[in-house]
C-alpha cells in the first residue's frame, strides 16, 4: 500500500474514514439539512460521528464539526484532542476551524472545497495563520468527487433518494 500525498489523493485509511463521514452526510441529506458529515478518529478508533443538524435543531451553530467535537471531548473526557484526526466531507467554515484549533486536534482531512465559506484556504486560511497560537495539518480533496456530488444532490433538492 502506497502512502499518497496531501496535494490531491489521500492514503487508503483516509478514504476509509471519509466514507464513514459520507454516511453521516447522507443522513443529513435525508433530514433535509446540508449534507456534511464528520467522523473523528483517535488511536485508530472512531470516537465521534455527526452530521449537520442546523435545520433540525434550528441552531446556526449545529454544524457537524461542532457536534462531533463535543462528542469526542466527552468520549475522551478532555477538551483537548491532540491525537485526533477529523474527517469532514466539506471544507469547514471559520467557526468550525476555530473550534478545531481550540481543541488541539492534530489533523484535518476534508473532501471538497467550500468556495463560499471555506476556512482552510478557499476563502480564508485559519489553519496556518501565523498570528494564531495553533496550526492544523490539513489534507484536502479526499473523495472530493463523491463529497461534491452529495452537495449537488442537496442543491438539486434530492433529499430522500439515497
Amino acid at each position: 500500500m502506497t502512502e499518497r500525498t496531501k496535494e490531491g489523493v489521500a492514503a487508503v485509511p483516509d478514504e476509509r474514514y471519509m466514507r464513514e463521514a459520507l454516511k453521516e452526510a447522507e443522513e443529513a441529506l435525508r433530514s433535509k439539512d446540508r449534507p456534511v458529515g464528520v467522523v473523528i478518529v483517535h488511536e485508530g478508533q472512531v470516537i465521534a460521528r455527526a452530521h449537520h443538524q442546523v435545520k433540525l435543531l434550528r441552531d446556526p451553530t449545529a454544524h457537524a464539526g461542532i457536534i462531533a467535537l463535543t462528542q469526542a471531548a466527552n468520549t475522551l473526557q478532555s477538551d483537548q484532542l491532540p491525537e485526533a484526526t477529523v474527517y469532514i466531507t466539506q471544507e469547514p467554515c471559520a467557526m468550525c476551524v476555530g473550534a478545531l484549533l481550540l481543541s488541539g486536534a492534530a489533523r484535518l482531512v476534508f473532501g471538497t472545497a467550500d468556495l463560499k465559506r471555506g476556512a482552510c484556504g478557499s476563502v480564508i486560511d485559519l489553519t496556518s495563520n501565523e498570528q494564531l497560537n495553533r496550526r492544523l495539518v490539513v489534507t484536502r480533496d479526499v473523495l472530493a468527487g463523491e463529497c461534491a456530488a452529495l452537495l449537488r444532490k442537496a442543491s438539486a433538492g434530492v433529499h430522500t433518494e439515497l
Side-chain angles (χ1 to χ4, degrees), residues 90-124:
Q90 184 178 37
E91 178 182 7
C93 69
M95 175 182 69
C96 292
V97 172
L100 287 167
L101 289 167
L102 290 171
S103 78
R107 186 167 167 249
L108 167 67
V109 180
F110 72 83
T112 190
D114 184 341
L115 302 177
K116 293 182 180 179
R117 293 170 292 271
C120 300
S122 291
V123 175
I124 188 170

Side-chain angles (χ1 to χ4, degrees), residues 19-33 35-37 51 89 146 150 153 159 162:
R19 289 194 193 290
E20 291 298 313
L22 276 163
K23 290 177 187 176
E24 287 295 322
E26 290 168 354
E27 188 62 37
L29 186 64
R30 278 191 283 278
S31 300
K32 299 185 178 177
D33 218 320
V36 177
H51 56 273
T89 57
E146 293 177 46
L150 204 52
K153 275 187 180 181
H159 291 284
L162 288 177

Side-chain angles (χ1 to χ4, degrees), residues 71-91:
Q71 289 176 3
N74 286 328
T75 298
L76 296 180
Q77 297 183 346
S78 174
D79 64 338
Q80 294 298 293
L81 309 171
E83 304 295 320
T85 299
V86 178
Y87 294 86
I88 185 166
T89 57
Q90 184 178 37
E91 178 182 7

Side-chain angles (χ1 to χ4, degrees), residues 56-72:
L56 175 70
L57 300 176
R58 293 181 181 90
D59 178 356
T61 68
H63 289 202
I66 300 298
I67 296 167
L69 280 172
T70 300
Q71 289 176 3

